[in-house]
């Protein structure tokens, strides 16, 4: 069993390059299924197990895929008609696989996709996806762990109002609308930067989309989309991880691939705690912390431009340095405090009240064996290990590998005493 072993007490110093964003790459690759002419080539694609999984899913649908993880590129040829069933084998491993439903429905008029899987962080309903497809004219059938969407005639544009700004729902409905007849308006659309990145790719393919970066999107259907080349945006959650790690270890790190515009909420909260953050240029920030203790802070996760839920468990670790009690309230997922029990094993004093965690600052954490319960909690525990006295062993690190490229190698270059071992 592989595990990450960390010996704490060393400040992180140097510079780190953020990889391509997993949460942008996966929907962008799914959008590539819409290209009935030409092939697509993607750059800055992160070397992650999730990318490999979605590539295998595409191949099962009849798409030619050439993924070169060491070169961070992926080429795909989706010109042949797509098979219309996405199997449980792939979709159960990764929630983003459900994003193939929109392109398959738009191109082939029908799609059957297994119910999505992924990290166990709480209920992530697909009702907004299905509501959007039905509004476009599809019939939805849910049976035996599968969702089937059928369009007896071509999809027709309409106005769709989301009950909440679902990221996946927005992405899926945008893709389906690109080939629908007429104009589709999505009201209360999610506004995450990863959605804007996908829209930029679709526009480059020939889609007509207005309102990117806002809560109202207008998509004018087109006859076809054409494959093209595209570079995926940097990963703002990975950037946040190294920014927080620098502050938590009282280090000094230049994070390259961390645009301020995508990380405003995080920067605001870190500065509120007393962390020094310098915006170096459009794509980089330098984070340093020389304080013995930080100020406590209150954080509430919200849809963008609010504080990102994916950063919640990582931020929790930083608040352990505060002189006082911090509060983190989770409004997006109801089961995203599983890291708390693991941090308690390291001497952290955290209590849960409803959907909030109350974190008391403490002199130090104590190294021990902890378990990554999901992707982001795994990263949080690695940072906790960097802060702790003694040695911390993080197990079940396959979660971490779903979202972080060479995390131990990047940490080691910053001076961390960290290694991956197989026992």
């Amino acid at each position: 069993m592989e595990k990450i072993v960390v010996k704490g007490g060393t400040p992180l110093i140097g510079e780190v390059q953020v990889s391509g964003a997993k949460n942008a790459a996966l929907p962008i690759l799914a959008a590539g299924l819409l290209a009935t002419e030409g092939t697509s080539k993607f750059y800055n694609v992160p070397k992650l197990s999730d990318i490999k999984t979605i590539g295998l899913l595409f191949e099962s649908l009849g798409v030619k895929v050439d993924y070169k993880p060491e070169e961070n590129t992926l080429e795909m040829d989706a010109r042949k008609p797509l098979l219309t069933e996405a199997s449980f084998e792939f979709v159960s491993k990764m929630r983003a696989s459900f994003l193939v439903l929109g392109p398959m429905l738009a191109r082939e008029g029908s799609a059957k996709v297994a119910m999505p899987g992924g990290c166990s962080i709480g209920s992530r309903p697909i009702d907004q996806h299905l509501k959007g497809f039905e509004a476009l004219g599809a019939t939805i059938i849910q049976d035996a762990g599968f969702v089937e969407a059928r369009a007896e005639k071509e999809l027709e544009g309409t106005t769709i109002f989301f009950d909440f700004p679902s990221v996946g729902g927005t992405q899926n409905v945008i893709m389906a609308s690109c080939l629908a007849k007429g104009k589709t308006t999505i009201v209360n659309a999610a506004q995450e930067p990863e959605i804007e990145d996908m829209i930029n790719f679709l526009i480059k393919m020939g889609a007509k989309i207005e309102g990117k970066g806002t809560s109202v999107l207008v998509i004018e259907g087109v006859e076809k989309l054409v494959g093209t080349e595209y570079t995926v945006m940097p990963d703002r959650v990975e950037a946040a991880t190294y920014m927080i790690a620098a502050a938590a270890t009282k280090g000094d790190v230049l994070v390259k691939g961390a645009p301020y515009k995508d990380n405003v909420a995080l920067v605001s909260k870190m500065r509120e705690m007393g962390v020094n953050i310098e915006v170096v240029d459009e794509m980089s920030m330098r984070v340093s912390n020389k304080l013995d203790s930080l100020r406590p802070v209150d954080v509430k996760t919200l849809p963008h431009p609010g504080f990102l839920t994916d950063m919640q468990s990582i931020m929790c670790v930083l608040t352990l340095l505060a002189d006082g009690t911090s509060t983190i309230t989770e409004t997006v997922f109801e089961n995203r405090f599983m890291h708390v029990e693991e941090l308690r094993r390291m001497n952290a004093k955290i209590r849960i009240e409803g959907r909030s965690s109350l974190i008391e600052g403490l002199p130090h954490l104590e190294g021990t064996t902890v378990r990554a319960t999901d992707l982001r909690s795994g990263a949080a525990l690695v940072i906790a290990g960097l802060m702790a006295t003694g040695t911390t062993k993080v197990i079940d690190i396959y979660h971490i590998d779903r979202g972080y490229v060479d995390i131990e190698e990047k940490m080691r270059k910053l001076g961390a005493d960290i290694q991956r071992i197989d026992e």
Side-chain angles (χ1 to χ4, degrees):
M1 177 176 62
E2 284 193 328
K3 59 185 69 175
I4 290 177
V5 180
V6 185
K7 292 183 180 179
T10 304
L12 299 186
I13 297 174
E15 63 180 54
V16 63
Q17 178 63 55
V18 174
S19 301
K22 181 195 83 154
N23 289 343
L26 294 171
I28 286 171
L29 295 176
L33 296 175
L34 291 166
T36 53
E37 290 187 11
T39 60
S40 295
K41 185 171 184 178
F42 305 94
Y43 301 93
N44 202 32
V45 177
K47 183 180 68 174
L48 297 171
S49 58
D50 275 10
I51 301 294
K52 182 178 179 180
T53 297
I54 204 165
L56 293 172
L57 171 59
F58 290 172
E59 289 178 336
S60 76
L61 300 176
V63 177
K64 290 183 179 180
V65 176
D66 183 12
Y67 175 38
K68 296 178 179 177
E70 299 306 322
E71 298 178 11
N72 302 120
T73 64
L74 186 146
E75 295 182 65
M76 58 187 290
D77 182 348
R79 288 176 290 182
K80 291 184 178 179
L82 303 175
L83 299 179
T84 57
E85 182 170 331
S87 74
F88 176 81
E89 176 187 358
F90 301 113
V91 183
S92 63
K93 295 178 181 177
M94 182 180 64
R95 184 174 182 81
S97 299
F98 196 71
L99 293 175
V100 302
L101 198 153
M104 291 163 64
L105 175 64
R107 275 193 56 175
E108 308 301 338
S110 67
K112 186 177 182 181
V113 179
M115 293 291 286
C119 287
S120 301
I121 57 175
S123 175
R124 292 187 279 180
I126 56 173
D127 57 323
Q128 300 303 298
H129 302 239
L130 305 185
K131 174 182 177 179
F133 295 144
E134 287 181 320
L136 292 171
T139 300
I140 304 297
I141 302 169
Q142 296 187 62
D143 184 50
F146 279 82
V147 174
E148 187 172 0
R150 298 176 187 167
E152 300 301 327
K153 53 184 180 179
E154 65 180 320
L155 300 176
E156 292 193 11
T158 186
T159 297
I160 299 166
F161 180 85
F162 281 137
D163 298 318
F164 65 93
S166 162
V167 173
T170 300
Q171 291 165 334
N172 236 337
V173 173
I174 288 172
M175 289 186 282
S177 302
C178 283
L179 297 181
K181 182 179 179 181
K183 182 172 70 176
T184 300
T185 302
I186 303 175
V187 182
N188 199 26
Q191 303 173 55
E192 273 67 10
E194 293 80 9
I195 294 176
E196 189 171 343
D197 207 31
M198 186 191 77
I199 290 173
N200 287 336
F201 170 61
L202 286 165
I203 291 173
K204 197 172 180 184
M205 294 174 74
K208 296 180 179 179
I209 306 173
E210 296 179 355
K212 67 178 182 178
T214 75
S215 62
V216 179
L217 300 171
V218 179
I219 304 109
E220 189 73 40
V222 296
E223 290 293 323
K224 64 181 180 181
L225 293 174
V226 180
T228 186
E229 295 186 350
Y230 194 76
T231 300
V232 177
M233 68 179 281
D235 193 324
R236 62 191 174 117
V237 186
E238 185 187 10
T241 301
Y242 290 107
M243 291 170 68
I244 289 174
T249 60
K250 301 179 182 178
D252 188 338
V253 176
L254 174 64
V255 185
K256 303 171 75 173
Y260 171 73
K261 67 179 180 63
D262 292 342
N263 294 279
V264 175
L266 172 71
V267 171
S268 297
K269 287 299 176 182
M270 291 181 71
R271 283 176 170 167
E272 189 177 328
M273 295 184 73
V275 177
N276 182 54
I277 300 178
E278 175 191 356
V279 179
V280 176
D281 56 39
E282 191 176 300
M283 296 298 295
S284 303
M285 288 187 282
R286 182 177 178 178
V287 180
S288 59
N289 173 31
K290 304 302 179 185
L291 301 175
D292 289 333
S293 63
L294 300 173
R295 292 187 289 271
V297 70
D298 292 336
V299 176
K300 178 183 287 188
T301 65
L302 291 166
H304 191 79
F307 195 94
L308 181 63
T309 178
D310 277 2
M311 299 176 186
Q312 180 255 114
S313 57
I314 307 166
M315 188 68 177
C316 174
V317 175
L318 183 61
T319 62
L320 292 168
L321 287 180
D323 183 12
T325 301
S326 299
T327 302
I328 298 181
T329 302
E330 174 61 56
T331 71
V332 181
F333 297 117
E334 75 280 1
N335 194 30
R336 205 153 200 182
F337 287 135
M338 291 191 292
H339 58 282
V340 167
E341 195 59 41
E342 302 304 309
L343 289 172
R344 285 172 176 159
R345 292 170 52 79
M346 300 179 73
N347 199 39
K349 294 182 179 179
I350 307 172
R351 67 183 188 274
I352 305 298
E353 292 186 0
R355 301 193 74 157
S356 297
S357 59
L358 282 69
I359 308 112
E360 293 184 34
L362 74 169
H364 65 270
L365 293 172
E366 296 176 359
T368 186
T369 298
V370 289
R371 181 172 65 92
T373 54
D374 61 75
L375 166 55
R376 305 306 173 187
S377 77
L381 293 172
V382 169
I383 296 173
L386 294 171
M387 298 166 57
T389 58
T391 300
T392 299
K393 294 182 180 180
V394 184
I395 63 174
D396 286 356
I397 61 173
Y398 63 89
H399 287 296
I400 299 174
D401 292 339
R402 289 188 51 233
Y404 289 92
V405 177
D406 300 329
I407 188 170
E408 66 274 12
E409 181 180 337
K410 290 184 178 182
M411 292 285 192
R412 206 158 37 238
K413 287 181 178 179
L414 295 173
D417 188 341
I418 182 172
Q419 60 180 318
R420 178 182 297 240
I421 64 173
D422 193 354
E423 292 183 339

